[in-house]
Amino acid sequence: MNSILNGLYQFILYIGVFILIFYVSEKTARKKWKIVRRPEAEEVNSLHKWGKRILGIILFFNFVFFPSGIKNAVIIMVIFLFNACMQWKSGEKEYIITILGLVIFIIFITLGYTLHIFSE
């Protein structure tokens, strides 16, 4: 029981550290490149809206029927890249924040598997 709690505390601390890292890096990037915050749910056009919906449905079905961590992480990375591409094509600077989030997510997943944070 004690080892389970230690693993849970380690996992919560790990997530908290990465949330803090993303928060600080996002604030720094927005200040440095003068990026105005916009609502995350706002899509650029109808292709962006439908692309996000289709990728979300694929992610949901993959979670339900094929619960493999690496496949799900790759789908999440594709969603990040799709959002960044659509934001870049529309001329917004928000894609910088999206790519920053993708890089931090990749580091999060890589370190999590390397340090066995996500192991059972």
Side-chain angles (χ1 to χ4, degrees):
M1 182 70 173
N2 196 15
S3 66
I4 294 173
L5 283 177
N6 285 339
L8 182 63
Y9 292 145
Q10 182 182 12
F11 181 71
I12 291 171
L13 179 66
Y14 182 73
I15 288 176
V17 166
F18 270 92
I19 289 172
L20 183 65
I21 288 170
F22 178 72
Y23 178 78
V24 169
S25 57
E26 179 191 11
K27 289 291 184 188
T28 305
R30 285 191 188 279
K31 192 174 196 179
K32 181 177 181 178
W33 288 298
K34 297 175 180 59
I35 301 171
V36 178
R37 177 178 291 280
R38 71 174 190 79
E40 188 63 37
E42 184 179 313
E43 288 89 9
V44 175
N45 55 25
S46 63
L47 174 65
H48 190 197
K49 182 190 317 184
W50 281 102
K52 281 175 64 174
R53 287 178 183 173
I54 290 169
L55 288 170
I57 289 169
I58 291 170
L59 179 65
F60 173 76
F61 279 113
N62 199 45
F63 271 136
V64 172
F65 296 114
F66 310 105
S68 167
I70 297 298
K71 288 181 192 175
N72 293 333
V74 169
I75 293 172
I76 291 171
M77 289 177 210
V78 169
I79 292 171
F80 269 109
L81 285 173
F82 179 71
N83 279 337
C85 180
M86 295 305 290
Q87 291 165 348
W88 173 71
K89 286 180 77 174
S90 73
E92 296 180 10
K93 289 185 178 180
E94 188 72 24
Y95 73 93
I96 296 170
I97 303 300
T98 305
I99 294 203
L100 178 68
L102 173 63
V103 169
I104 291 174
F105 179 74
I106 290 171
I107 294 169
F108 174 79
I109 294 297
T110 304
L111 277 178
Y113 277 103
T114 303
L115 300 175
H116 303 291
I117 303 268
F118 302 131
S119 63
E120 297 171 12

